């Protein structure tokens, strides 16, 4: 089959590698792709957030399956436009993607489906924000009610800082603080049937020990040796299945990845957030362990045949991803510096480009993803860090404690 993959980050490079390894995928087209993905398929320029442009590319490239990687095209309605052309697409409609695009909508769906989550107040004025901050107390959790690439949230003990952030947001949600470790579970769905991937954990803060501001994610590992055996089953029955059923009941079935971001709190499992796509960087280590054919799996989901797809197979062992970020990330990013050492097996491209002379340069905040595998998390971690140490990028930085002590 011919697969058109939309996106250009580390998540998409990982998807491209897994698709290229699937015998049923004979042609892979990446749009716009990146220099790493260019080794696996043809890269075609497109504005990924333009529904009409992506739909027309799906038709002219005779794609049998379109996979939409990032959230922005989904929220813009790219999947709807491709579907309207009769091309199978893995990725939710604009309406279903609101589960990520609007925190208030996600809360409404969870309330209707009886899914456990942090208590929250949508606020419209300074008075409402202050009342909600005082109702829940510290630590304060204040979220921008829109897409902010994981950066619209602050968690702080400082009431003033919480208030200032709240006043900066156009629409704001103030939430109860959830304690306990976080888990990401990605659930592949065709709108009815659902299949979980391996659970993972990511590291959101920029600095070691969880210091500094939130980022899109600085590293991740899978599976979770410390998690209870029934964790995935529990998430499926208490979170994923009721949420997917509620979206279907509303006439907006969710076809794509329901990303369940959870906290295992002292009062049980609770949803921190939903996203409408694979998590980045968690999907990178997860896919490095997937043995089942990814193209066939996502095609089955895109065509409503997931119930017929066999068991998912995984390699034994564990995988760890360490993100190499650009100087200044996440506040500001210095771009255009040369990168050396990126052509190692296990190094995925996230924010890279080739300059006019053909030199690989850093263009994004998160530049490369170093993915190691091994018999244990500790072994996988060693391999991931060996890769990260082998990368030369002036000002580049990575956390030293990804998956430490697991
Ligand atoms: P979100 O964009 O909703 O995923 O939030 C980004 C990050 O902020 C999450 O991954 C958590 O680390 C943290 N966070 C969000 N909501 C809460 C909460 N209610 N309690 C504690 N931490 C939270
Ligand atoms: N790793 C967090 C995210 O993809 O939103």
């Amino acid at each position: 089959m011919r697969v058109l993959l939309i996106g250009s980050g580390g998540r998409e490079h990982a998807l491209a590698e897994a698709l290229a390894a699937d015998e049923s995928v004979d042609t892979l087209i990446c749009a716009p792709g990146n220099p790493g993905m260019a080794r696996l398929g043809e890269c075609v320029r497109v504005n990924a957030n333009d529904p009409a442009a992506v739909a027309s590319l799906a038709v002219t490239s005779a794609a049998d399956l379109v996979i939409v990687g990032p959230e922005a095209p989904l929220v813009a309605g790219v999947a709807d436009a491709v579907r309207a052309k009769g091309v199978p697409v893995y990725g939710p409609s604009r309406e279903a993607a609101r589960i990520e695009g609007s925190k208030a909508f996600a809360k409404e769906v969870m309330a209707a489906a009886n899914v456990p989550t942090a208590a929250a107040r949508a606020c419209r004025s300074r008075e409402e924000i202050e009342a909600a901050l005082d109702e829940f107390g510290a630590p304060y959790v204040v979220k921008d009610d829109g897409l902010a690439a994981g950066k619209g949230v602050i968690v702080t003990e400082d009431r003033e800082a919480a208030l200032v952030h709240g006043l900066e947001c156009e629409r704001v949600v103030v939430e109860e603080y959830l304690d306990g470790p976080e888990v990401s579970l990605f659930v592949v769905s065709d709108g009815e049937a659902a299949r979980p991937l391996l659970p993972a954990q990511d590291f959101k803060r920029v600095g070691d020990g969880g210091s500094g501001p939130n980022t899109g994610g600085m590293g991740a590992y899978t599976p979770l040796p410390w998690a209870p055996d029934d964790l995935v089953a529990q998430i499926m029955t208490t979170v994923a299945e009721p949420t997917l059923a509620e979206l279907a009941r509303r006439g907006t079935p969710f076809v794509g990845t329901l990303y369940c971001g959870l906290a295992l709190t002292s009062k049980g499992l609770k949803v921190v957030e939903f996203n409408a796509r694979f998590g980045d960087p968690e999907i990178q280590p997860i896919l490095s362990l997937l043995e089942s054919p990814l193209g066939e799996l996502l095609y089955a989901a895109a065509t409503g045949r997931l119930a017929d797809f066999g068991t998912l197979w995984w390699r034994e062992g564990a995988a760890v991803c360490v993100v190499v970020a650009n100087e200044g990330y996440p506040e500001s990013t210095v771009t255009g510096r040369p990168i050396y050492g990126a052509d190692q097996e296990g190094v995925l491209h996230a924010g890279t480009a080739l300059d006019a002379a053909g030199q690989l340069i850093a263009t994004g905040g998160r530049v490369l993803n170093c993915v190691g595998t091994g018999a244990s998390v500790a072994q996988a971690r060693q391999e991931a860090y060996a890769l990260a140490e082998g990368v030369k990028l002036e000002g580049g930085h990575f956390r030293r404690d990804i998956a430490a002590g697991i």
Side-chain angles (χ1 to χ4, degrees):
M1 84 182 134
R2 294 172 65 82
V3 176
L4 172 61
L5 172 61
I6 304 300
S8 63
R11 164 185 42 221
E12 287 76 36
H13 190 174
L15 289 166
E17 282 208 334
L19 291 166
D22 178 344
E23 283 171 9
S24 72
V25 177
D26 46 49
T27 307
L28 177 63
I29 304 153
C30 306
N34 65 34
M37 293 162 78
R39 283 189 237 129
L40 302 164
E42 183 194 354
C43 289
V44 177
R45 291 174 85 102
V46 75
N47 175 357
N49 296 335
D50 179 344
V54 175
S56 111
L57 178 60
V59 172
T60 56
S61 58
D64 300 300
L65 172 66
V66 176
I67 300 167
V68 183
E71 62 274 23
L74 294 168
V75 172
V78 162
D80 307 75
V82 174
R83 218 166 263 133
K85 299 278 186 198
V87 181
V89 53
Y90 183 78
S93 65
R94 172 166 40 193
E95 196 54 31
R98 286 177 68 215
I99 200 82
E100 167 162 9
S102 164
K103 306 234 181 242
F105 175 74
K107 288 290 185 193
E108 184 194 313
V109 170
M110 284 188 270
N114 232 336
V115 170
T117 185
R121 304 280 173 264
C123 304
R124 284 199 186 73
S125 65
R126 183 187 185 105
E127 291 67 40
E128 285 182 7
I129 297 171
E130 295 212 57
L133 292 174
D134 294 335
E135 176 188 357
F136 296 130
Y140 303 104
V141 181
V142 181
K143 302 189 172 187
D144 199 338
D145 182 30
L147 280 189
K151 285 164 255 166
V153 177
I154 70 164
V155 181
T156 176
E157 295 281 340
D158 181 345
R159 187 178 180 282
E160 185 59 27
L163 179 60
V164 168
H165 180 67
L167 292 171
E168 280 165 5
C169 303
E170 203 172 310
R171 284 172 305 164
V172 58
V173 175
V174 176
E175 247 184 45
E176 161 201 11
Y177 176 78
L178 300 178
D179 59 1
E182 284 185 46
V183 169
S184 302
L185 185 73
F186 306 148
V187 178
V188 171
S189 177
D190 65 2
E192 268 182 45
R195 291 292 172 82
L197 304 187
L198 292 177
Q201 191 169 47
D202 79 344
F203 294 75
K204 291 227 165 82
R205 302 276 179 156
V206 74
D208 287 359
S211 59
N214 258 324
T215 68
M218 293 297 289
Y221 68 95
T222 185
L224 310 175
W226 48 267
D229 286 344
D230 66 345
L231 177 69
V232 170
Q234 229 190 86
I235 299 170
M236 291 303 286
T237 53
T238 64
V239 174
E241 286 161 5
T243 301
L244 292 166
E246 174 62 19
L247 287 167
R249 196 191 61 75
R250 290 169 177 239
T252 53
F254 187 98
V255 178
T257 308
L258 182 67
Y259 167 140
C260 306
L262 306 135
L264 309 188
T265 77
S266 45
K267 293 187 211 128
L269 188 157
K270 292 195 185 189
V271 173
V272 176
E273 63 167 339
F274 282 125
N275 293 316
R277 43 144 184 108
F278 292 116
D280 182 350
E282 301 99 302
I283 196 63
Q284 289 86 322
I286 291 171
L287 289 179
S288 74
L289 296 181
L290 180 70
E291 265 179 359
S292 297
L294 180 70
E296 285 183 33
L297 173 68
L298 303 188
Y299 185 79
T303 54
R305 298 204 193 98
L306 196 55
D308 303 332
F309 194 87
T311 320
L312 290 188
W313 293 97
W314 300 94
R315 283 184 195 97
E316 300 264 330
V320 172
C321 173
V322 173
V323 172
V324 178
N326 231 322
E327 181 172 353
Y329 179 76
E331 279 98 0
S332 61
T333 302
V334 180
T335 61
R337 290 194 176 136
I339 308 166
Y340 305 98
D343 45 4
Q344 313 174 69
E345 175 100 7
V347 175
L348 301 170
H349 291 232
T352 71
L354 294 175
D355 70 9
Q359 168 66 47
L360 191 70
I361 56 169
T363 53
R366 293 185 292 174
V367 179
L368 296 170
N369 305 145
C370 301
V371 182
T373 53
S376 62
V377 172
Q379 279 184 21
R381 179 171 192 272
Q382 271 191 353
E383 193 180 302
Y385 274 104
L387 291 171
E389 298 288 355
V391 171
K392 298 285 169 270
L393 166 64
E394 188 191 336
H397 59 96
F398 52 87
R399 274 180 69 158
R400 307 276 159 176
D401 64 343
I402 303 301
I406 302 295

Tab-separated table of all heavy atoms in Angstrom, residues 3 22 25-26 37 49 57 80 84 107 149 162 177 179 210 237 241 255 267 269 343 355 358 360 371 395 403:
chain	number	residue	atom	x	y	z
A	3	VAL	N	1.434	4.873	1.512
A	3	VAL	CA	1.085	5.595	2.741
A	3	VAL	C	1.605	7.023	2.660
A	3	VAL	O	2.776	7.249	2.324
A	3	VAL	CB	1.676	4.891	3.988
A	3	VAL	CG1	1.402	5.702	5.249
A	3	VAL	CG2	1.106	3.478	4.120
A	22	ASP	N	7.363	-2.277	7.607
A	22	ASP	CA	6.145	-3.065	7.382
A	22	ASP	C	6.104	-3.479	5.908
A	22	ASP	O	6.039	-2.622	5.020
A	22	ASP	CB	4.932	-2.190	7.748
A	22	ASP	CG	3.600	-2.886	7.499
A	22	ASP	OD1	3.568	-3.909	6.779
A	22	ASP	OD2	2.582	-2.395	8.015
A	25	VAL	N	3.717	-2.005	3.331
A	25	VAL	CA	3.891	-0.616	2.880
A	25	VAL	C	4.955	-0.616	1.793
A	25	VAL	O	6.138	-0.806	2.070
A	25	VAL	CB	4.317	0.307	4.044
A	25	VAL	CG1	4.566	1.737	3.560
A	25	VAL	CG2	3.265	0.288	5.145
A	26	ASP	N	4.550	-0.436	0.516
A	26	ASP	CA	5.597	-0.429	-0.518
A	26	ASP	C	6.063	0.970	-0.853
A	26	ASP	O	7.169	1.147	-1.333
A	26	ASP	CB	5.216	-1.248	-1.758
A	26	ASP	CG	3.821	-0.962	-2.239
A	26	ASP	OD1	3.493	0.221	-2.374
A	26	ASP	OD2	3.052	-1.926	-2.466
A	37	MET	N	13.661	11.467	7.694
A	37	MET	CA	12.587	10.743	7.010
A	37	MET	C	12.876	10.607	5.515
A	37	MET	O	12.393	9.670	4.876
A	37	MET	CB	11.256	11.475	7.231
A	37	MET	CG	10.803	11.440	8.684
A	37	MET	SD	9.563	12.701	9.068
A	37	MET	CE	8.086	11.965	8.397
A	49	ASN	N	-1.075	22.041	7.745
A	49	ASN	CA	-2.265	22.549	8.440
A	49	ASN	C	-3.357	23.012	7.482
A	49	ASN	O	-4.357	23.580	7.925
A	49	ASN	CB	-1.881	23.708	9.357
A	49	ASN	CG	-0.945	23.252	10.459
A	49	ASN	OD1	-0.947	22.078	10.830
A	49	ASN	ND2	-0.136	24.160	10.969
A	57	LEU	N	-3.175	16.434	-2.034
A	57	LEU	CA	-1.962	15.611	-2.091
A	57	LEU	C	-2.305	14.125	-1.912
A	57	LEU	O	-1.717	13.250	-2.560
A	57	LEU	CB	-0.967	16.073	-1.017
A	57	LEU	CG	0.333	15.294	-0.921
A	57	LEU	CD1	1.126	15.353	-2.225
A	57	LEU	CD2	1.194	15.820	0.236
A	80	ASP	N	-10.784	15.380	8.175
A	80	ASP	CA	-12.122	15.480	7.549
A	80	ASP	C	-11.984	15.672	6.040
A	80	ASP	O	-12.719	15.074	5.250
A	80	ASP	CB	-12.901	16.677	8.126
A	80	ASP	CG	-12.957	16.647	9.636
A	80	ASP	OD1	-11.925	16.954	10.264
A	80	ASP	OD2	-14.004	16.310	10.189
A	84	ALA	N	-13.227	13.127	3.200
A	84	ALA	CA	-14.243	13.573	2.225
A	84	ALA	C	-13.856	13.193	0.794
A	84	ALA	O	-14.709	13.089	-0.081
A	84	ALA	CB	-14.450	15.082	2.339
A	107	LYS	N	-13.209	17.941	29.552
A	107	LYS	CA	-13.809	17.792	30.883
A	107	LYS	C	-15.290	17.433	30.764
A	107	LYS	O	-15.808	16.626	31.542
A	107	LYS	CB	-13.670	19.100	31.670
A	107	LYS	CG	-12.247	19.387	32.135
A	107	LYS	CD	-11.795	18.442	33.226
A	107	LYS	CE	-10.428	18.821	33.760
A	107	LYS	NZ	-9.814	17.787	34.596
A	149	ALA	N	0.878	23.050	22.857
A	149	ALA	CA	2.007	22.113	22.767
A	149	ALA	C	2.571	21.780	24.147
A	149	ALA	O	3.763	21.693	24.342
A	149	ALA	CB	3.101	22.685	21.856
A	162	ALA	N	0.385	32.016	39.475
A	162	ALA	CA	-0.767	31.274	38.934
A	162	ALA	C	-1.807	32.250	38.396
A	162	ALA	O	-2.344	32.064	37.293
A	162	ALA	CB	-1.373	30.397	40.034
A	177	TYR	N	-4.896	19.848	41.943
A	177	TYR	CA	-3.575	19.252	41.717
A	177	TYR	C	-3.660	17.736	41.889
A	177	TYR	O	-4.263	17.245	42.844
A	177	TYR	CB	-2.573	19.833	42.721
A	177	TYR	CG	-1.211	19.210	42.634
A	177	TYR	CD1	-0.331	19.573	41.614
A	177	TYR	CD2	-0.801	18.247	43.565
A	177	TYR	CE1	0.926	18.993	41.521
A	177	TYR	CE2	0.462	17.666	43.474
A	177	TYR	CZ	1.315	18.030	42.455
A	177	TYR	OH	2.556	17.454	42.354
A	179	ASP	N	-1.534	14.355	42.544
A	179	ASP	CA	-0.221	13.839	42.964
A	179	ASP	C	0.017	12.492	42.290
A	179	ASP	O	-0.858	11.955	41.639
A	179	ASP	CB	-0.176	13.712	44.501
A	179	ASP	CG	-1.258	12.781	45.031
A	179	ASP	OD1	-2.027	12.223	44.217
A	179	ASP	OD2	-1.359	12.602	46.258
A	210	GLY	N	13.242	17.269	37.331
A	210	GLY	CA	11.964	17.945	37.111
A	210	GLY	C	12.033	19.429	37.381
A	210	GLY	O	11.032	20.051	37.747
A	237	THR	N	-10.680	0.091	30.736
A	237	THR	CA	-12.078	0.014	31.165
A	237	THR	C	-12.571	1.277	31.858
A	237	THR	O	-13.723	1.644	31.695
A	237	THR	CB	-12.340	-1.205	32.072
A	237	THR	OG1	-11.405	-1.160	33.140
A	237	THR	CG2	-12.165	-2.505	31.335
A	241	GLU	N	-12.224	3.225	27.042
A	241	GLU	CA	-13.464	2.713	26.456
A	241	GLU	C	-14.654	3.628	26.717
A	241	GLU	O	-15.387	3.957	25.775
A	241	GLU	CB	-13.708	1.258	26.907
A	241	GLU	CG	-12.760	0.312	26.172
A	241	GLU	CD	-12.567	-1.052	26.827
A	241	GLU	OE1	-13.259	-1.342	27.838
A	241	GLU	OE2	-11.727	-1.819	26.331
A	255	VAL	N	-11.496	8.227	15.458
A	255	VAL	CA	-10.647	7.315	14.680
A	255	VAL	C	-9.228	7.857	14.741
A	255	VAL	O	-8.937	8.906	14.176
A	255	VAL	CB	-11.118	7.243	13.210
A	255	VAL	CG1	-10.194	6.333	12.405
A	255	VAL	CG2	-12.565	6.769	13.144
A	267	LYS	N	-5.584	8.661	45.347
A	267	LYS	CA	-7.022	8.333	45.320
A	267	LYS	C	-7.393	7.553	44.072
A	267	LYS	O	-8.556	7.516	43.676
A	267	LYS	CB	-7.838	9.622	45.384
A	267	LYS	CG	-7.695	10.346	46.705
A	267	LYS	CD	-8.680	11.521	46.765
A	267	LYS	CE	-8.128	12.657	47.585
A	267	LYS	NZ	-8.172	13.944	46.894
A	269	LEU	N	-6.540	6.188	39.847
A	269	LEU	CA	-6.111	6.664	38.542
A	269	LEU	C	-6.993	7.837	38.065
A	269	LEU	O	-8.216	7.749	38.163
A	269	LEU	CB	-6.316	5.438	37.695
A	269	LEU	CG	-5.930	5.196	36.315
A	269	LEU	CD1	-5.841	3.679	36.159
A	269	LEU	CD2	-6.896	5.763	35.381
A	343	ASP	N	23.896	10.732	12.273
A	343	ASP	CA	23.646	9.542	11.445
A	343	ASP	C	24.062	8.256	12.156
A	343	ASP	O	24.829	7.447	11.660
A	343	ASP	CB	24.322	9.675	10.066
A	343	ASP	CG	25.731	10.204	10.185
A	343	ASP	OD1	26.184	10.380	11.347
A	343	ASP	OD2	26.377	10.437	9.151
A	355	ASP	N	21.023	22.730	5.147
A	355	ASP	CA	21.212	24.081	4.602
A	355	ASP	C	21.616	23.980	3.129
A	355	ASP	O	21.692	22.875	2.567
A	355	ASP	CB	22.215	24.883	5.446
A	355	ASP	CG	23.645	24.370	5.315
A	355	ASP	OD1	23.907	23.500	4.453
A	355	ASP	OD2	24.507	24.841	6.090
A	358	GLY	N	24.069	21.531	2.124
A	358	GLY	CA	23.815	20.128	2.444
A	358	GLY	C	24.221	19.744	3.856
A	358	GLY	O	24.197	18.568	4.219
A	360	LEU	N	23.633	19.364	7.789
A	360	LEU	CA	22.492	19.212	8.695
A	360	LEU	C	22.558	20.297	9.761
A	360	LEU	O	23.588	20.483	10.413
A	360	LEU	CB	22.540	17.825	9.347
A	360	LEU	CG	21.274	17.433	10.117
A	360	LEU	CD1	20.112	17.181	9.166
A	360	LEU	CD2	21.541	16.198	10.975
A	371	VAL	N	17.166	6.995	20.681
A	371	VAL	CA	16.379	5.872	21.186
A	371	VAL	C	17.265	4.646	21.361
A	371	VAL	O	17.860	4.168	20.394
A	371	VAL	CB	15.207	5.534	20.234
A	371	VAL	CG1	14.376	4.387	20.802
A	371	VAL	CG2	14.336	6.761	19.995
A	395	GLY	N	25.703	24.291	22.119
A	395	GLY	CA	24.581	24.767	22.941
A	395	GLY	C	23.495	23.723	23.160
A	395	GLY	O	22.535	23.974	23.882
A	403	ALA	N	14.666	8.217	32.817
A	403	ALA	CA	14.531	6.804	33.201
A	403	ALA	C	15.584	6.360	34.219
A	403	ALA	O	15.864	5.163	34.335
A	403	ALA	CB	14.560	5.895	31.963
